[in-house]
Amino acid sequence: LIGNLFLNVHLLDGLKFTPRINLEYSMLKNSQFVPSVVIRDTESVAKNGVSKYNRSVVHWNSDYMLTYDKDFGGIHRISALLGYSQEEYSSENLGGTRYETPNNEIQYLNAGDASTSGNSNGISEWSFVSYIGRLNYSFKERYLLQATVRRDGSSRFIEKNRWGVFPSYSAAWRISEEDFFEGIKPLVNQLKLRASYGSLGNANISNYPSYATLSSSAYVLNEQIVPTYTLSSAVNRDIVWETTKKLDIGLEISLFDNKMDLEVGYYKSNTYDLLYGEPIPWSAGKTSNPTVNGGEVENKGLEINLGYREVVGDFSYDVSVNFFRNKNKV
């Protein structure tokens, strides 16, 4: 079941409020029966078995966006956004198994041998919250500025490391809109210089890397099987957000009545505090590797795209070629 509900509320001239909620719900029901089969001189299953498994998932997120967009005489244009976003995910499973029902026609847990019972139940949850702010300014559609900031919080980090702040900035200059460019416009229809610098965070890790988790098992004590629990994961409570910072500079040109487009871009991206599972020896007695921040990745390179389009009567064609060079350093 997937649902989406939103509302646009126009408060004042240029001011709009948009609340929105999305819901995704799924339910899995699985029933499995392995019959007893006895065939002389061949492989056989002497005991039948029945298992039941249910799993439900609830995933929802809500956004609340306040936007403002206003044009002042075709000279100044301002747009702004303030937003709050919340997301939660919960998955729970329940399963049971028994063997030796009276016959292959009876396929229910209660009919099986109680001494062969097995069951499982688990839940996994995470949540994510964001505060967002963005401001755009345009002067005569000639000079374009944008500033954005995000404050993101994830349940996957402990409280002191839960939040990360990620700003970004961009600017563009439409040189072709300048007065001195008028004489060139028949040949060069558009010339635009752009640049941006910003950061983003990543929390794509397991749900509980900073918390001690236990695994259940069995142990023989005084000739009896007793349930036990053991620390299954190595815990690191110092992990923080993985952060990527990127610089992008580009030039866009349109020529010959917008038939030819040329775009040249240079970028440099650095990712810090990489989140990954650091291998530890089996002798440590843990079944999973601790999540750590470590290492840095740098990507930088050049992109060139050249395209040409033409319409001749009822016939049209479009041709493009691109060049890409990337240097990666870990």
Side-chain angles (χ1 to χ4, degrees):
L1 175 67
I2 299 175
N4 177 285
L5 181 66
F6 70 94
L7 182 68
N8 285 325
V9 183
H10 295 269
L11 303 174
L12 298 170
D13 183 25
L15 185 63
K16 182 173 70 173
F17 176 64
T18 304
R20 178 176 56 212
I21 185 168
N22 305 286
L23 172 68
E24 181 178 347
Y25 173 79
S26 63
M27 168 67 80
L28 168 68
K29 297 183 69 175
N30 181 64
S31 181
Q32 183 176 358
F33 184 79
V34 179
S36 59
V37 179
V38 180
I39 303 176
R40 186 176 298 174
D41 299 328
T42 64
E43 293 184 1
S44 62
V45 178
K47 299 179 181 180
N48 61 26
V50 58
S51 63
K52 305 287 184 177
Y53 178 82
N54 290 347
R55 179 172 182 255
S56 63
V57 175
V58 178
H59 182 198
W60 67 269
N61 67 283
S62 60
D63 303 316
Y64 307 91
M65 300 295 175
L66 187 66
T67 57
Y68 178 75
D69 192 346
K70 188 72 172 177
D71 182 85
F72 299 90
I75 298 177
H76 306 280
R77 186 179 188 92
I78 296 176
S79 63
L81 178 146
L82 289 176
Y84 171 79
S85 176
Q86 183 176 357
E87 183 177 8
E88 291 190 7
Y89 175 95
S90 177
S91 171
E92 184 172 5
N93 62 75
L94 176 65
T97 304
R98 279 193 186 185
Y99 296 92
E100 293 189 87
T101 65
N103 57 60
N104 288 339
E105 304 302 318
I106 302 177
Q107 302 179 4
Y108 298 96
L109 290 172
N110 281 357
D113 182 355
S115 66
T116 64
S117 294
N119 57 69
S120 63
N121 180 222
I123 189 169
S124 180
E125 298 175 308
W126 58 264
S127 60
F128 189 86
V129 170
S130 290
Y131 298 90
I132 307 163
R134 186 179 67 212
L135 178 64
N136 290 303
Y137 172 73
S138 169
F139 177 75
K140 292 185 176 181
E141 296 296 326
R142 186 181 302 170
Y143 310 113
L144 311 173
L145 300 173
Q146 183 184 87
T148 303
V149 63
R150 295 178 60 100
R151 186 172 186 262
D152 296 329
S154 172
S155 64
R156 290 168 174 167
F157 302 106
I158 64 172
E159 188 171 355
K160 70 174 184 177
N161 300 329
R162 184 154 295 164
W163 295 93
V165 179
F166 308 103
S168 62
Y169 316 93
S170 65
W173 179 24
R174 287 198 176 104
I175 306 173
S176 53
E177 297 300 314
E178 298 286 357
D179 295 337
F180 63 77
F181 205 85
E182 288 299 323
I184 313 175
K185 271 200 171 181
L187 176 64
V188 182
N189 309 112
Q190 178 175 276
L191 179 61
K192 179 181 176 182
L193 181 65
R194 55 175 172 78
S196 64
Y197 179 79
S199 61
L200 282 176
N202 173 41
N204 187 21
I205 50 179
S206 61
N207 287 344
Y208 311 106
S210 299
Y211 300 93
T213 56
L214 300 175
S215 294
S216 61
S217 57
Y219 186 74
V220 177
L221 181 64
N222 295 330
E223 299 183 356
Q224 298 291 325
I225 297 177
V226 294
T228 64
Y229 293 90
T230 181
L231 188 66
S232 59
S233 59
V235 177
N236 178 13
R237 296 179 62 82
D238 294 323
I239 55 174
V240 297
W241 283 80
E242 178 183 305
T243 303
T244 297
K245 297 180 179 180
K246 185 175 181 181
L247 170 69
D248 196 322
I249 302 173
L251 184 68
E252 301 174 12
I253 306 174
S254 294
L255 306 166
F256 313 126
D257 293 328
N258 294 310
K259 293 179 181 179
M260 179 178 288
D261 294 318
L262 173 64
E263 184 174 352
V264 181
Y266 168 81
Y267 65 89
K268 182 180 179 182
S269 173
N270 292 83
T271 301
Y272 306 92
D273 296 325
L274 293 173
L275 288 166
Y276 70 98
E278 184 176 24
I280 58 176
W282 282 98
S283 58
K286 303 296 186 290
T287 58
S288 64
N289 299 323
T291 301
V292 301
N293 292 108
E296 177 183 341
V297 173
E298 179 184 83
N299 284 282
K300 60 182 179 180
L302 183 69
E303 293 178 288
I304 300 175
N305 294 288
L306 178 64
Y308 185 82
R309 67 182 70 86
E310 182 70 273
V311 178
V312 182
D314 295 332
F315 177 74
S316 64
Y317 63 92
D318 192 315
V319 181
S320 64
V321 61
N322 65 78
F323 170 81
F324 171 75
R325 181 182 184 275
N326 181 71
K327 183 177 181 181
N328 172 262
K329 183 180 180 181
V330 179

